[in-house]
Amino acid sequence: MLTTDQYRIIADGQPVSIADLGSRMAADPGHPSRLTDRLAAAGWIERRPSPADGRRTDLTLTPDGRDLVQRIVAARKPYFDRAAAALVEAGLVDVLPDVRRLLDLVRALPEPE
């Protein structure tokens, strides 16, 4: 099973460092490292030394990780399409950018403990 945090990590821009993940997730310092361990063990990401900074490790999607993201995006598309259509029908086209910003804010919330 893929959690929201895990999806956010593998779906967001690549490459990303463990430190960047920590700032995205607003999590305790060890959580991003443990999370990346699980993602790597599942075969969805791989760690590579950063070409720009030898102290940094970049995380990149594997082919399996890219495939997983594509499948999730495809599975979610009908729901987003229906929501957008409902907003258009209700005459709320102008709120779509605000709804997208709201969704981004909600996605950035830490997982409940």
Side-chain angles (χ1 to χ4, degrees), residues 60-87:
T60 57
L61 287 173
T62 63
D64 285 346
R66 282 190 296 278
D67 180 58
L68 178 63
V69 169
Q70 289 173 353
R71 288 184 298 162
I72 291 170
V73 168
R76 292 171 48 167
K77 186 177 180 337
Y79 299 103
F80 289 125
D81 289 347
R82 280 194 300 231
L87 289 172

Short mmCIF file of all heavy atoms in Angstrom, two decimals, residues 60-87:
data_model
loop_
_atom_site.label_atom_id
_atom_site.label_comp_id
_atom_site.label_asym_id
_atom_site.label_seq_id
_atom_site.Cartn_x
_atom_site.Cartn_y
_atom_site.Cartn_z
N THR A 60 15.79 9.35 -7.06
CA THR A 60 15.13 9.40 -8.37
C THR A 60 14.21 8.18 -8.52
O THR A 60 14.44 7.14 -7.91
CB THR A 60 16.15 9.41 -9.52
OG1 THR A 60 16.98 8.26 -9.40
CG2 THR A 60 17.01 10.66 -9.49
N LEU A 61 13.20 8.37 -9.33
CA LEU A 61 12.28 7.27 -9.60
C LEU A 61 12.95 6.19 -10.43
O LEU A 61 13.71 6.49 -11.36
CB LEU A 61 11.06 7.77 -10.37
CG LEU A 61 10.06 8.60 -9.60
CD1 LEU A 61 9.01 9.16 -10.55
CD2 LEU A 61 9.39 7.78 -8.52
N THR A 62 12.63 4.97 -10.13
CA THR A 62 13.03 3.84 -10.97
C THR A 62 11.95 3.70 -12.06
O THR A 62 10.89 4.32 -11.97
CB THR A 62 13.08 2.54 -10.15
OG1 THR A 62 11.75 2.27 -9.67
CG2 THR A 62 14.05 2.63 -8.98
N PRO A 63 12.19 2.86 -13.05
CA PRO A 63 11.11 2.62 -14.03
C PRO A 63 9.83 2.13 -13.35
O PRO A 63 8.73 2.55 -13.73
CB PRO A 63 11.72 1.56 -14.95
CG PRO A 63 13.20 1.84 -14.90
CD PRO A 63 13.46 2.24 -13.46
N ASP A 64 9.95 1.27 -12.33
CA ASP A 64 8.75 0.82 -11.61
C ASP A 64 8.07 1.98 -10.89
O ASP A 64 6.84 2.05 -10.83
CB ASP A 64 9.10 -0.28 -10.59
CG ASP A 64 9.37 -1.62 -11.23
OD1 ASP A 64 9.04 -1.80 -12.42
OD2 ASP A 64 9.92 -2.50 -10.53
N GLY A 65 8.86 2.90 -10.34
CA GLY A 65 8.29 4.07 -9.67
C GLY A 65 7.56 4.97 -10.64
O GLY A 65 6.46 5.46 -10.35
N ARG A 66 8.14 5.18 -11.81
CA ARG A 66 7.47 6.00 -12.84
C ARG A 66 6.17 5.34 -13.29
O ARG A 66 5.15 6.00 -13.46
CB ARG A 66 8.40 6.24 -14.04
CG ARG A 66 9.45 7.30 -13.78
CD ARG A 66 10.19 7.69 -15.03
NE ARG A 66 10.98 6.61 -15.60
CZ ARG A 66 12.19 6.25 -15.20
NH1 ARG A 66 12.78 6.91 -14.22
NH2 ARG A 66 12.83 5.26 -15.77
N ASP A 67 6.20 4.03 -13.45
CA ASP A 67 5.00 3.30 -13.84
C ASP A 67 3.92 3.43 -12.77
O ASP A 67 2.75 3.64 -13.09
CB ASP A 67 5.35 1.82 -14.08
CG ASP A 67 4.14 1.01 -14.48
OD1 ASP A 67 3.51 1.35 -15.51
OD2 ASP A 67 3.81 0.04 -13.76
N LEU A 68 4.31 3.32 -11.52
CA LEU A 68 3.36 3.45 -10.42
C LEU A 68 2.72 4.84 -10.42
O LEU A 68 1.49 4.96 -10.30
CB LEU A 68 4.06 3.19 -9.08
CG LEU A 68 3.19 3.34 -7.84
CD1 LEU A 68 2.07 2.30 -7.86
CD2 LEU A 68 4.04 3.20 -6.59
N VAL A 69 3.51 5.88 -10.59
CA VAL A 69 2.97 7.24 -10.63
C VAL A 69 1.99 7.38 -11.79
O VAL A 69 0.89 7.93 -11.63
CB VAL A 69 4.10 8.29 -10.72
CG1 VAL A 69 3.55 9.67 -11.05
CG2 VAL A 69 4.90 8.33 -9.43
N GLN A 70 2.34 6.87 -12.95
CA GLN A 70 1.44 6.96 -14.11
C GLN A 70 0.12 6.24 -13.84
O GLN A 70 -0.95 6.73 -14.22
CB GLN A 70 2.12 6.39 -15.35
CG GLN A 70 3.23 7.28 -15.86
CD GLN A 70 4.02 6.63 -17.00
OE1 GLN A 70 3.83 5.46 -17.33
NE2 GLN A 70 4.92 7.40 -17.59
N ARG A 71 0.18 5.09 -13.19
CA ARG A 71 -1.05 4.35 -12.89
C ARG A 71 -1.92 5.10 -11.89
O ARG A 71 -3.15 5.14 -12.02
CB ARG A 71 -0.73 2.95 -12.38
CG ARG A 71 -0.21 2.03 -13.49
CD ARG A 71 0.01 0.64 -13.01
NE ARG A 71 1.04 0.70 -11.96
CZ ARG A 71 1.27 -0.24 -11.07
NH1 ARG A 71 0.57 -1.34 -11.07
NH2 ARG A 71 2.21 -0.11 -10.16
N ILE A 72 -1.29 5.72 -10.89
CA ILE A 72 -2.05 6.48 -9.89
C ILE A 72 -2.68 7.70 -10.54
O ILE A 72 -3.87 7.99 -10.31
CB ILE A 72 -1.15 6.88 -8.71
CG1 ILE A 72 -0.76 5.63 -7.91
CG2 ILE A 72 -1.85 7.90 -7.82
CD1 ILE A 72 0.32 5.87 -6.87
N VAL A 73 -1.93 8.42 -11.35
CA VAL A 73 -2.46 9.60 -12.03
C VAL A 73 -3.64 9.20 -12.91
O VAL A 73 -4.69 9.86 -12.92
CB VAL A 73 -1.36 10.32 -12.84
CG1 VAL A 73 -1.95 11.35 -13.78
CG2 VAL A 73 -0.34 10.95 -11.90
N ALA A 74 -3.51 8.11 -13.63
CA ALA A 74 -4.59 7.64 -14.50
C ALA A 74 -5.82 7.24 -13.68
O ALA A 74 -6.96 7.53 -14.07
CB ALA A 74 -4.12 6.47 -15.36
N ALA A 75 -5.61 6.62 -12.53
CA ALA A 75 -6.73 6.19 -11.70
C ALA A 75 -7.45 7.39 -11.07
O ALA A 75 -8.67 7.36 -10.89
CB ALA A 75 -6.24 5.25 -10.60
N ARG A 76 -6.71 8.45 -10.76
CA ARG A 76 -7.30 9.63 -10.13
C ARG A 76 -7.97 10.56 -11.14
O ARG A 76 -8.84 11.34 -10.77
CB ARG A 76 -6.23 10.39 -9.38
CG ARG A 76 -5.71 9.64 -8.17
CD ARG A 76 -4.51 10.27 -7.54
NE ARG A 76 -4.66 11.70 -7.32
CZ ARG A 76 -3.85 12.41 -6.58
NH1 ARG A 76 -2.84 11.84 -5.98
NH2 ARG A 76 -4.02 13.70 -6.43
N LYS A 77 -7.58 10.48 -12.40
CA LYS A 77 -8.07 11.42 -13.41
C LYS A 77 -9.60 11.47 -13.51
O LYS A 77 -10.18 12.56 -13.54
CB LYS A 77 -7.45 11.11 -14.77
CG LYS A 77 -7.81 12.15 -15.82
CD LYS A 77 -7.11 11.87 -17.13
CE LYS A 77 -7.42 12.86 -18.22
NZ LYS A 77 -8.61 13.62 -18.16
N PRO A 78 -10.31 10.34 -13.56
CA PRO A 78 -11.77 10.42 -13.66
C PRO A 78 -12.41 11.20 -12.50
O PRO A 78 -13.38 11.92 -12.70
CB PRO A 78 -12.23 8.97 -13.66
CG PRO A 78 -11.04 8.18 -14.08
CD PRO A 78 -9.84 8.95 -13.61
N TYR A 79 -11.87 11.06 -11.31
CA TYR A 79 -12.41 11.78 -10.16
C TYR A 79 -12.20 13.28 -10.30
O TYR A 79 -13.10 14.08 -10.05
CB TYR A 79 -11.77 11.28 -8.86
CG TYR A 79 -12.04 9.81 -8.62
CD1 TYR A 79 -11.06 8.86 -8.85
CD2 TYR A 79 -13.29 9.37 -8.18
CE1 TYR A 79 -11.31 7.51 -8.65
CE2 TYR A 79 -13.55 8.03 -7.98
CZ TYR A 79 -12.55 7.11 -8.21
OH TYR A 79 -12.80 5.78 -8.01
N PHE A 80 -11.00 13.67 -10.73
CA PHE A 80 -10.72 15.09 -10.92
C PHE A 80 -11.54 15.66 -12.07
O PHE A 80 -12.02 16.79 -12.01
CB PHE A 80 -9.23 15.32 -11.15
CG PHE A 80 -8.39 15.11 -9.91
CD1 PHE A 80 -7.34 14.22 -9.93
CD2 PHE A 80 -8.67 15.80 -8.74
CE1 PHE A 80 -6.57 14.02 -8.79
CE2 PHE A 80 -7.91 15.60 -7.59
CZ PHE A 80 -6.86 14.71 -7.62
N ASP A 81 -11.72 14.87 -13.13
CA ASP A 81 -12.54 15.32 -14.26
C ASP A 81 -13.99 15.55 -13.84
O ASP A 81 -14.61 16.53 -14.23
CB ASP A 81 -12.47 14.32 -15.41
CG ASP A 81 -11.13 14.30 -16.12
OD1 ASP A 81 -10.31 15.22 -15.89
OD2 ASP A 81 -10.89 13.35 -16.89
N ARG A 82 -14.53 14.62 -13.03
CA ARG A 82 -15.91 14.77 -12.56
C ARG A 82 -16.04 15.99 -11.65
O ARG A 82 -17.03 16.73 -11.73
CB ARG A 82 -16.37 13.52 -11.83
CG ARG A 82 -16.79 12.42 -12.78
CD ARG A 82 -17.55 11.36 -12.05
NE ARG A 82 -16.69 10.79 -11.02
CZ ARG A 82 -16.47 9.50 -10.85
NH1 ARG A 82 -17.08 8.62 -11.59
NH2 ARG A 82 -15.66 9.07 -9.90
N ALA A 83 -15.06 16.20 -10.79
CA ALA A 83 -15.10 17.37 -9.91
C ALA A 83 -15.05 18.66 -10.71
O ALA A 83 -15.81 19.60 -10.44
CB ALA A 83 -13.95 17.31 -8.90
N ALA A 84 -14.19 18.72 -11.71
CA ALA A 84 -14.09 19.91 -12.56
C ALA A 84 -15.40 20.13 -13.31
O ALA A 84 -15.88 21.26 -13.41
CB ALA A 84 -12.92 19.77 -13.53
N ALA A 85 -15.99 19.06 -13.83
CA ALA A 85 -17.26 19.18 -14.55
C ALA A 85 -18.37 19.68 -13.62
O ALA A 85 -19.20 20.51 -14.03
CB ALA A 85 -17.65 17.84 -15.18
N ALA A 86 -18.38 19.20 -12.40
CA ALA A 86 -19.40 19.65 -11.44
C ALA A 86 -19.24 21.13 -11.14
O ALA A 86 -20.23 21.87 -11.02
CB ALA A 86 -19.30 18.83 -10.15
N LEU A 87 -18.00 21.60 -11.04
CA LEU A 87 -17.77 23.03 -10.80
C LEU A 87 -18.23 23.86 -12.00
O LEU A 87 -18.81 24.93 -11.84
CB LEU A 87 -16.29 23.28 -10.50
CG LEU A 87 -15.80 22.78 -9.15
CD1 LEU A 87 -14.29 22.91 -9.05
CD2 LEU A 87 -16.47 23.54 -8.01
#
